[in-house]
Amino acid sequence: MSGFSCQRLSKTFFAHNAVVPALESIDFRVEARSFVCIVGPSGCGKSTLLRLIAGLLPPTSGCVCFDREASQDKPRTALVFQEHGLFPWMTVLDNVAFALVGQRQGRREGRRLAQAQLERVGLAGFAHSYPHQLSGGMRQRVGVARALLANPDILLMDEPFGSVDAQTRLVLQEELLNLWREQQKTVVYVTHDIAEAILLGDRVLVMSGRPGRILADIAVPLARPRMLTAVDSPEIKDIKWRIWNMLESEVRANLGTSSAPFS
Amino acid sequence: MAGWLLVWEMAATRRWISPLFFPAPTTILRTLLAYSASGKLVADLAATLGRLLMGLMLGGSMGMLLGLLMGGSPRLRRLVDPLVAAMHPIPKISLLPLVLIIFGLGESSRVVLVAVASFFPTVINTMTGVQQIPPIYYEVAANYQASPLTVFRRIIIPGSLPMILAGWRIALNTALVITIAVELITAREGLGAAIWLAWQTLRTEHFYAALLVIAVLGLGSNGLLHLLSAWLIPWQRQDHST
């Protein structure tokens, strides 16, 4: 198992002669086996931060330091993508088995493991369907199943349930918490939903608008396993409002209004 | 359809229209049967089909190959794309004299011109097909440490396949036009040559018989390609969308 820390991590994009600072001096640590949520206004660089941790983008300065060296036979991180992470031309089974393309198993063994993984998440009956034949919620479960099959130490999730309806999301969140408890992964979960961040995370990191900085690092004092009703306690409501107060001005800046129009 | 044929038949036999221009359907059918019985139909069809397929395969596969390379390499694209864009709008039949000078009056000239005509739709469609693959799929591949060969085989090829096949469909139809046109001008055998001979001897029923065979050839080859597409890209069947 491995935790990691981001140290003075910055990312600047250069596009069409414009310099766009996306992340500025990000500093935080994630302990092994903890569940950390990151909230922030849209466009604040949350997704960029995940891609830096996943090693899909190089940082402009600073570093992501992992506690342990990467091993040969399994990846350190796996990213669950927002929406279109599944290949439309592959069946569900092949999509899940794709998690093992970089590893030593043959294709046949990969498929066998993928089938077993699908059975574990209750999607065995859809192994030979194509993604477009599934509902949005099922597609996200396939995305999670794929990431878990790669057996990474650290699971990175980029608003994975952002596009599914509210009821389905509650079920998926519960499934995710169960998986996390059983498999003892470190999870970094990006969302724009404050309630979701509090319900899932041990800690919530609040990010500012562009360029993204860490505004606050808030511990969530809720026992596990968590009940949905626990979120209604006054203590938790207080945390929710604290986070909202931090984000409100950032969101208004995005909308182009400087103060509340109705106050 | 049957009603229209009946009207045509009546109009021709009662000479409301000139049977020289529009011979009766039964006359055309009789001509077609005789054409077939003489063995000439099979010979013409074989000649046309041979040119069509040879040219299409040659030009189409070269276009597909270059399209894949251009789609994958921005540098190559910047170098070659202006050339392709400049030559694409030229009606390919107008290149026939040049091709005849270079390749001579024989069979190879005809195949080369069909190949040139098939090349452009496939190169352009394949290149576009590769370019429009959403970048997120490459991120997924990098996320799971896929090798470049895996990325090519399992992302670039299937991701661009719908566009590649659309390119082949355009190439097929262009190739058919060019094959017939080249035969009208230069060939002794082939369906285009049969049409030209019919004109020169003023036997319009022969013209219609050959035209019918060409129409069936076009419909049949498009139908086959349609089946091939459905088989190669099963994920695009829209029958169980949610």
Side-chain angles (χ1 to χ4, degrees), chain A residues 86-157:
Chain A
L86 298 183
F87 301 112
W89 51 83
M90 288 184 202
T91 60
V92 166
L93 183 68
D94 283 336
N95 261 297
V96 174
F98 193 84
L100 300 174
V101 288
Q103 301 181 28
R104 265 184 248 126
Q105 294 97 334
R107 196 143 167 195
R108 179 183 293 238
E109 177 66 2
R111 283 199 170 161
R112 200 187 59 75
L113 292 169
Q115 183 68 45
Q117 178 77 346
L118 284 174
E119 271 158 29
R120 219 167 300 142
V121 297
L123 286 168
F126 297 92
H128 301 289
S129 303
Y130 286 97
H132 79 266
Q133 298 167 315
L134 307 185
S135 68
M138 284 160 85
R139 278 200 287 267
Q140 277 314 339
R141 274 158 80 192
V142 175
V144 174
R146 177 170 70 183
L148 287 174
L149 182 61
N151 194 22
D153 283 343
I154 303 163
L155 193 59
L156 306 169
M157 308 187 80

Side-chain angles (χ1 to χ4, degrees), chain B residues 52-94:
Chain B
L52 177 70
L53 289 180
M54 285 246 293
L56 182 66
M57 288 301 149
L58 206 68
S61 44
M62 276 166 64
M64 188 166 71
L65 195 70
L66 185 65
L68 284 171
L69 292 173
M70 286 170 74
S73 156
R75 190 180 297 173
L76 185 68
R77 191 160 62 236
R78 271 197 299 277
L79 197 70
V80 182
D81 199 29
L83 211 61
V84 171
M87 285 170 64
H88 177 51
I90 300 172
K92 300 305 167 302
I93 190 70
S94 62

Side-chain angles (χ1 to χ4, degrees), chain A residues 20-206:
Chain A
V20 183
L23 294 172
E24 206 172 80
S25 199
I26 302 281
D27 263 303
F28 65 89
R29 182 173 161 72
V30 173
E31 298 298 337
R33 284 187 283 280
S34 66
F35 198 126
V36 173
C37 289
I38 301 176
V39 285
S42 51
C44 75
K46 304 185 293 272
S47 296
T48 305
L49 179 56
L50 276 193
R51 276 160 180 74
L52 291 177
I53 299 169
L56 296 175
L57 283 175
T60 307
S61 67
C63 77
V64 181
C65 304
F66 293 90
D67 297 354
R68 224 184 50 183
E69 287 299 305
S71 67
Q72 283 294 307
D73 51 324
K74 65 178 203 168
R76 207 152 42 185
T77 61
L79 181 57
V80 177
F81 293 85
Q82 220 160 356
E83 277 183 69
H84 303 289
L86 298 183
F87 301 112
W89 51 83
M90 288 184 202
T91 60
V92 166
L93 183 68
D94 283 336
N95 261 297
V96 174
F98 193 84
L100 300 174
V101 288
Q103 301 181 28
R104 265 184 248 126
Q105 294 97 334
R107 196 143 167 195
R108 179 183 293 238
E109 177 66 2
R111 283 199 170 161
R112 200 187 59 75
L113 292 169
Q115 183 68 45
Q117 178 77 346
L118 284 174
E119 271 158 29
R120 219 167 300 142
V121 297
L123 286 168
F126 297 92
H128 301 289
S129 303
Y130 286 97
H132 79 266
Q133 298 167 315
L134 307 185
S135 68
M138 284 160 85
R139 278 200 287 267
Q140 277 314 339
R141 274 158 80 192
V142 175
V144 174
R146 177 170 70 183
L148 287 174
L149 182 61
N151 194 22
D153 283 343
I154 303 163
L155 193 59
L156 306 169
M157 308 187 80
D158 188 3
E159 301 197 27
F161 308 142
S163 60
V164 299
D165 64 84
Q167 287 78 30
T168 308
R169 191 183 310 163
L170 288 177
V171 175
L172 292 174
Q173 286 165 343
E174 201 177 319
E175 281 181 11
L176 176 64
L177 286 178
N178 289 337
L179 282 170
W180 169 67
R181 217 180 30 241
E182 285 163 20
Q183 308 213 357
Q184 309 253 308
K185 302 286 179 203
T186 310
V187 178
V188 179
Y189 188 104
V190 158
T191 176
H192 58 257
D193 182 338
I194 299 171
E196 182 177 45
I198 294 173
L199 176 68
L200 295 177
D202 296 320
R203 283 156 66 207
V204 178
L205 301 179
V206 185

